[in-house]
Amino acid sequence: MLTVTVFLPTVAALLLAVGLVRGDRNIRWFAAAVAVADLLLSVVVFVLFQPGGERFQLIDRLDWINTETVHASYLLGVDGISAPLVMLTGLLGLCAVFVSFHISHRVREYFIWLFVLQTAVMGVFTALDFLLFFLFWEIELVPMYLLISTWGTGRREYSAMKFLMFTILGSAFMLVAIVAVFVSAGVGSFDMTRLLEPGGALDASRAALPMGALFWLFFVAFAVKLPTWPVHTWLPDAHTDAPTAGSVMLAGVMLKMGGYGLLRINAGMFPEQLQAFALPIVALGVISVLYGAVVTLRQTDLKRLIAYSSVSHMGLVLLGLGSVAAVGGALTDAGLTGAAMQLFTHGTITGLLFVAVGVMYEKTHTRYIPDLGGLANRMPLVSGAFLIAGAASLGLPLLSGFVSELLVFFGGFRAFPILTILAVLGIILAAGYILWMLQRTLFGLRPARWDELTDAGPVELVPIALLVISIVAVGVYPAWLTDVFRDGLEPIVSGYNTGLAGIAR
Amino acid sequence: MNNNFLLLLPEFIVTGLAFVVLGLDLFLPERRKWVLPIVAVVGLVVALVVSLRYLWGVSDSLYDGVIRVDGYALFFKAFFIALGGVVVLVSVDFVRRNLEHPGEYYGILLFTVVAMMLLAASGELLTAYISLELLSFGLYVLVAYDRYNAKSNEGATKYILLGAFSSALLLFGISQVYGLLGTTRFDEISSALSSADALSPGLILGIALIIAGLGFKVAAVPFHMWAPDAYEGAPIPITAHLAVGSKAAAFALVLRLFAEAFMPIVEQWQILLIGLAVITMLLGNLVALAQRNLKRLLAYSSVGQVGYLLMGVAALAATGSGGIMLHLVAYAVTNMAAFLCLAAIYNITGRDDIAGMAGVARRAPLVGLVFAVSLFSLAGLPIFVGFTSKFYLFNAAAAQGLLWVAGIAIFSSLISLYYYLQVVRQLYIEPAEDAAPIPVPRLTLGVLGALFAGMVGLGVYPAPLMEAVQYASDALF
């Protein structure tokens, strides 16, 4: 089941590569069909996952490398943390395809890379073997690089190379950590499920590197991806210069890979270290929130504005992670659930923001805010979507952003009250830049040259509708999502509360 | 003693094949010379089949241990015959278009194959030296083969001078070792070194000289200066042969030498090799960043790869040699693919600089794809065999407590990705100056397809290769 979900886009890419589908129009509809199929599969995966059942479900396992020195298996599975993220990937993959119908140059290659990217990201979320995890993590680099540098705008080659170099630098740290974990005495395999069990295989006294070193090596890799200040500088360039689908995938799911890694590995396998280092982590998060927000206020390019707002929102993930430092015995899962929810909600919100901006850019060919204005009259549907996404981004109740931010603040306040208060200031700043952006682009006086603009066509309305529905659904009744995340986070939280502290002794 | 010369049948076949090719060349008219590479390939296939059929599971030696016939030698025999075959296939179109006297070309190529096979089978130092010299002499001639090209002559001259110098160093080192230990046979050296008082400054000097001499052959830093010029000047198939075959053969010797002969004093030479490995990795990858010519870029990237292999040698232990052999095979397949693509492009466009690769992916899609894949594999990106073999090497190093060296290796890979990407950028993103499609002969496409299947297949499912490597390294320890 998971194998089909993960590899369906690759099969489609191979079919495209050998030339089975001819003609740009047919390629687009073929891609749309595949994207819809993969979304349905990912929704089925989410529905089939039973919170309260086994920790890892829908397992696909194959013996892969079985030699004296290296044991790796092909192991896919979902738990409460990854099942919603798989669904998110399916959803945003579909949005990315549907928003790419206007691409007219080298269409076949475009969709091939988009599909390989989707497989890679889904693979990251479902891989439960370290080698496989690393494999998928690296595979997503090349398609993203090619997407940005070939079909992007502005300084696309510079942005693509910057993205690639930053991410690879991060994953170099991760590879060192993976090798160190593997050669630590008593481990001998790459199976993450074994390492995640309380009392699992990684023994602090026999680890090849100090546990703290391992923790920070992994943290660097995920921090670059998240991204955290100060290693965030690749993000504004990459998001701005990527084609719309690239931005959607980048902001929607690829940033979440960093957050997922932090939850799965740093929180799951190094809980003591997370507790010990919570203060610097939360500090980094709060700096990201505030710095990101302040810089966002100065942006005049729509996409760059949204990109910096992503930096700000992802800082909240770190705040949620750091909530495990709450003393007093009873750690609630609020902070961690908030962090996980933030991954999902930010994905849908920022996805919608980029889709809306993409449609606007297609019509107006400019992203420069002072040039825009009064678009709401001409493009009511897109403007409505933009409004909803913006409101969700600043945390308006009844929309999904509020739920995750609230949970993060609840969790963070118990651990670091002052830093959490500072982070809440970020909400105020978010209100500032979002409302300013909405007012300047959608309302007010409209320059004459926008008088003939048309609204989004039926093709673009599909992703818009799906994303709006998911934002509102989670905002109005979040339990269907939070229950799943809480089920996945429960082993971590109970590990802290019972004092077994997971695995390191 | 009873010497079973049938054990050397593969070597005899290939040597005979070389003479057959040379002889045929005398009698064939110019328009029929296309037969020669076919004869060479068929002969090599026969040799491969014979060696696998008759030497599987054999563990024996000739002349009382001077020449070994065991699993390790068999692995490399098969590897070098296959490699020779691929080089011949890569050469077919190139030689036809650009070089004269194909008979001698193929003949000397086959002699180098014999030399490589014997190098892997050597059980003592002088046999190794003679095989190495045979290999070097053949390569000197082949590098200079493009007679009227100034760069070819220059590269060959540098190669000859430095090669001769390094052979002298190697011989001096061997004589030191012989003088102090009284033997040149690997197993006897090993037992002589096991006794506590064998170690002396003179012996260390001898071993250091041997490392220096062999370091020249594999183009490790700081003995690498000849490599970029020789690679740039040589005809492309010979560059491939230099980059892959001669390095692999030298490492075959190095592995047996250090795993058998010098193992008892491993603490003495380990630090030396680690130091060499680190500077080789770093310098090779850093200088490659500045290159504009693709052959020079691939030369420096080979230097970087040698660094990883040296790290593997430094981490030699009972289970450590598998990583090196795996990486050699991966490196061979990948580099062959890259050089074949370059040859195919050069044959039509006449350009071997990076800027000349602009837009090639549109003009020759399969060539562009295989080229990009081989460069990503060299950089160590997953699903390709380059990642699998590098990962194995890093594991082996980390398991021996050399995690920091593995860390440096990982960062060097990072640097290498940047310059490989420059080439891929040209292939896929830059528009072509001349959009005419590049005709690629079907033979080349077939070989490229096979190499591509190898790179992806071995990357995703390396188990069969790992078992073969395990079988070979079992014979070593």
Side-chain angles (χ1 to χ4, degrees):
Chain A
M1 177 73 213
L2 276 179
T3 308
V4 176
T5 317
V6 169
F7 285 105
L8 176 67
T10 306
V11 170
L14 283 172
L15 290 176
L16 279 176
V18 298
L20 200 73
V21 186
R22 296 192 178 282
D24 286 350
R25 232 180 134 256
N26 294 332
I27 292 178
R28 293 190 190 107
W29 288 113
F30 174 74
V34 170
V36 170
D38 210 33
L39 170 62
L40 290 173
L41 283 172
S42 63
V43 169
V44 168
V45 165
F46 180 78
V47 167
L48 282 179
F49 177 79
Q50 312 281 1
E54 296 260 325
R55 183 172 182 186
F56 292 106
Q57 301 177 16
L58 300 178
I59 299 217
D60 277 344
R61 180 186 228 124
L62 261 182
D63 249 340
W64 181 25
I65 303 177
N66 217 349
T67 63
E68 278 178 27
T69 40
V70 177
H71 291 276
S73 34
Y74 171 82
L75 184 58
L76 297 182
V78 283
D79 74 340
I81 307 176
S82 44
L85 293 174
V86 168
M87 189 169 66
L88 180 71
T89 313
L91 176 61
L92 285 169
L94 182 141
C95 297
V97 168
F98 273 73
V99 98
S100 304
F101 269 50
H102 64 268
I103 301 274
S104 53
H105 146 67
R106 289 165 77 172
V107 178
R108 181 186 300 272
E109 290 172 54
Y110 181 89
F111 284 109
I112 290 176
W113 297 124
L114 204 54
F115 281 143
V116 174
L117 185 62
Q118 187 162 341
T119 293
V121 179
M122 275 215 193
V124 167
F125 290 137
T126 53
L128 289 175
D129 177 285
F130 256 126
L131 195 55
L132 198 61
F133 177 82
F134 186 75
L135 223 89
F136 280 121
W137 186 278
E138 295 284 277
I139 291 179
E140 51 92 3
L141 293 172
V142 172
M144 201 68 226
Y145 172 80
L146 287 170
L147 279 172
I148 298 178
S149 52
T150 316
W151 292 275
T153 59
R155 287 191 309 177
R156 52 183 196 241
E157 292 211 24
Y158 166 81
S159 304
M161 186 60 81
K162 200 169 174 183
F163 156 77
L164 189 72
M165 285 291 126
F166 261 90
T167 314
I168 276 232
L169 183 67
S171 39
F173 284 100
M174 180 161 69
L175 184 58
V176 176
I178 290 178
V179 171
V181 165
F182 177 69
V183 299
S184 301
V187 176
S189 93
F190 288 100
D191 194 335
M192 277 201 234
T193 56
R194 285 183 48 210
L195 290 166
L196 284 169
E197 282 158 24
L202 190 60
D203 187 343
S205 58
R206 297 190 295 165
L209 284 178
M211 295 288 274
L214 288 174
F215 177 85
W216 283 109
L217 283 172
F218 276 119
F219 183 80
V220 167
F222 299 133
V224 170
K225 204 77 183 141
L226 195 62
T228 312
W229 180 92
V231 287
H232 67 286
T233 48
W234 62 270
L235 182 136
D237 289 313
H239 276 104
T240 315
D241 294 331
T244 311
S247 303
V248 167
M249 286 301 269
L250 200 46
V253 281
M254 284 169 66
L255 302 189
K256 317 307 178 261
M257 281 163 47
Y260 169 76
L262 286 170
L263 282 172
R264 172 72 79 223
I265 296 172
N266 286 66
M269 294 181 202
F270 301 97
E272 272 189 3
Q273 281 68 35
L274 182 59
Q275 213 166 30
F277 297 123
L279 181 60
I281 292 176
V282 171
L284 278 179
V286 171
I287 296 177
S288 297
V289 169
L290 292 175
Y291 175 81
V294 167
V295 177
T296 313
L297 283 168
R298 300 221 1 114
Q299 297 309 314
T300 52
D301 176 323
L302 263 181
K303 276 178 98 167
R304 220 173 173 84
L305 190 153
I306 301 171
Y308 271 110
S309 82
S310 290
V311 175
S312 183
H313 281 92
M314 287 288 107
L316 290 174
V317 173
L318 288 180
L319 177 58
L321 267 178
S323 70
V324 302
V327 294
L331 174 71
T332 65
D333 56 8
L336 288 172
T337 311
M341 282 291 286
Q342 177 74 328
L343 296 180
F344 187 93
T345 60
H346 179 265
T348 49
I349 293 168
T350 311
L352 184 54
L353 282 171
F354 276 117
V355 168
V357 168
V359 173
M360 280 194 257
Y361 181 69
E362 260 316 287
K363 313 281 182 187
T364 64
H365 296 290
T366 177
R367 298 189 304 253
Y368 188 54
I369 296 180
D371 281 348
L372 300 167
L375 297 177
N377 233 333
R378 297 300 313 168
M379 309 168 74
L381 292 169
V382 174
S383 306
F386 204 31
L387 211 68
I388 292 177
S393 182
L394 64 83
L396 196 70
L398 285 191
L399 297 175
S400 56
F402 174 71
V403 178
S404 41
E405 286 177 4
L406 190 70
L407 284 169
V408 165
F409 292 141
F410 268 160
F413 192 76
R414 285 168 142 260
F416 300 102
I418 307 212
L419 286 174
T420 308
I421 292 174
L422 286 175
V424 176
L425 283 179
I427 304 268
I428 304 175
L429 295 171
Y433 58 72
I434 292 284
L435 291 174
W436 177 82
M437 172 184 76
L438 291 173
Q439 196 266 322
R440 294 293 169 92
T441 53
L442 299 180
F443 304 110
L445 280 176
R446 183 174 65 236
R449 62 185 143 142
W450 306 137
D451 281 341
E452 301 301 318
L453 283 181
T454 53
D455 205 344
V459 174
E460 285 107 12
L461 279 178
V462 170
I464 289 178
L466 286 172
L467 288 171
V468 166
I469 290 173
S470 50
I471 292 174
V472 173
V474 174
V476 167
Y477 186 64
W480 65 271
L481 193 55
T482 51
D483 283 346
V484 179
F485 274 128
R486 292 177 71 195
D487 179 74
L489 291 165
E490 194 263 329
I492 303 175
V493 174
S494 61
Y496 280 113
N497 280 333
T498 53
L500 278 178
I503 45 186
R505 290 186 192 87
Chain B
M1 74 203 79
N2 192 13
N3 280 316
N4 185 3
F5 286 107
L6 281 179
L7 292 171
L8 278 183
L9 197 52
E11 280 85 354
F12 284 134
I13 292 178
V14 181
T15 315
L17 183 65
F19 281 116
V20 163
V21 167
L22 282 172
L24 263 183
D25 180 52
L26 280 176
F27 299 110
L28 280 177
E30 195 62 44
R31 58 194 167 82
R32 290 223 201 275
K33 298 238 168 153
W34 54 265
V35 164
L36 292 170
I38 297 181
V39 169
V41 172
V42 168
L44 284 172
V45 169
V46 168
L48 183 63
V49 168
V50 163
S51 32
L52 288 175
R53 170 87 175 72
Y54 290 107
L55 296 180
W56 187 271
V58 166
S59 185
D60 203 344
S61 67
L62 280 99
Y63 299 111
D64 213 16
V66 164
I67 296 187
R68 302 275 190 79
V69 184
D70 55 12
Y72 180 81
L74 176 61
F75 175 83
F76 277 107
K77 258 192 254 285
F79 179 49
F80 293 137
I81 294 175
L83 212 54
V86 175
V87 173
V88 170
L89 288 172
V90 172
S91 310
V92 170
D93 203 35
F94 190 92
V95 169
R96 187 171 56 84
R97 284 173 187 273
N98 302 307
L99 299 179
E100 309 169 338
H101 309 297
E104 282 114 37
Y105 178 94
Y106 293 115
I108 297 178
L109 194 59
L110 289 168
F111 280 128
T112 61
V113 173
V114 174
M116 298 196 294
M117 288 158 72
L118 284 172
L119 201 48
S122 313
E124 61 94 37
L125 285 167
L126 283 177
T127 318
Y129 178 75
I130 294 171
S131 315
L132 200 55
E133 285 299 281
L134 178 58
L135 175 62
S136 303
F137 275 51
L139 283 172
Y140 297 155
V141 175
L142 288 171
V143 169
Y145 218 78
D146 202 353
R147 282 179 69 189
Y148 302 108
N149 181 343
K151 287 217 164 124
S152 184
N153 291 327
E154 177 193 346
T157 312
K158 288 185 183 172
Y159 185 31
I160 292 171
L161 287 174
L162 283 169
F165 176 57
S166 71
S167 294
L169 281 180
L170 184 61
L171 203 52
F172 190 28
I174 292 175
S175 70
Q176 278 283 87
V177 169
Y178 174 68
L180 288 166
L181 295 181
T183 174
T184 56
R185 285 181 45 192
F186 294 161
D187 44 4
E188 286 175 6
I189 292 178
S190 174
S191 35
L193 287 175
S194 302
S195 63
D197 57 353
L199 213 52
S200 62
L203 188 63
I204 303 289
L205 177 67
I207 294 178
L209 285 170
I210 292 179
I211 291 179
L214 290 174
F216 270 106
K217 296 299 176 197
V218 299
V221 172
F223 316 113
H224 68 288
M225 300 296 209
W226 60 272
D229 292 312
Y231 282 38
E232 191 186 0
I236 296 178
I238 298 304
T239 312
H241 195 39
L242 260 182
V244 180
S246 78
K247 277 204 220 300
F251 268 104
L253 172 65
V254 162
L255 267 182
R256 209 200 275 274
L257 190 59
F258 284 91
E260 268 194 47
F262 295 147
M263 202 45 144
I265 50 165
V266 62
E267 305 86 36
Q268 311 297 327
W269 49 261
Q270 191 179 46
I271 193 70
L272 187 60
L273 281 181
I274 292 175
L276 277 183
V278 170
I279 53 175
T280 306
M281 279 186 239
L282 289 175
L283 196 111
N285 284 311
L286 284 171
V287 181
L289 286 172
Q291 299 309 313
R292 298 276 161 267
N293 178 294
L294 201 45
K295 286 160 91 177
R296 286 182 87 85
L297 183 122
L298 287 170
Y300 277 108
S301 101
S302 303
V303 171
Q305 299 281 343
V306 165
Y308 308 137
L309 288 165
L310 284 174
M311 173 180 79
V313 176
L316 262 185
T319 50
S321 67
I324 305 168
M325 287 193 254
L326 188 66
H327 195 68
L328 279 173
V329 173
Y331 169 71
V333 171
T334 314
N335 257 357
M336 276 298 162
F339 279 110
L340 180 53
C341 294
L342 182 58
I345 297 168
Y346 176 81
N347 281 338
I348 306 292
T349 64
R351 299 191 60 173
D352 58 5
D353 56 327
I354 297 180
M357 300 290 124
V360 163
R362 310 228 81 196
R363 301 174 64 183
L366 194 67
V367 173
L369 177 67
V370 178
F371 209 175
V373 163
S374 67
L375 291 172
F376 286 137
S377 178
L378 282 173
L381 280 186
I383 77 162
F384 305 125
V385 67
F387 170 74
T388 316
S389 64
K390 268 197 198 161
F391 185 76
Y392 212 43
L393 257 181
F394 297 156
N395 252 337
Q400 295 297 312
L402 297 177
L403 187 61
W404 64 278
V405 185
I408 296 180
I410 293 173
F411 282 98
S412 313
S413 288
L414 201 116
I415 300 173
S416 72
L417 180 65
Y418 179 78
Y419 58 77
Y420 291 131
L421 260 181
Q422 297 309 309
V423 184
V424 175
R425 240 193 66 216
Q426 294 292 325
L427 287 173
Y428 274 94
I429 299 170
E430 294 293 318
E433 294 158 3
D434 164 20
I438 297 179
V440 182
R442 270 202 291 267
L443 174 66
T444 308
L445 287 176
V447 179
L448 281 178
L451 290 171
F452 176 78
M455 283 191 279
V456 175
L458 289 175
V460 172
Y461 188 59
L465 181 61
M466 283 192 177
E467 281 169 25
V469 158
Q470 190 64 39
Y471 166 70
S473 67
D474 282 340
L476 202 54
F477 289 99

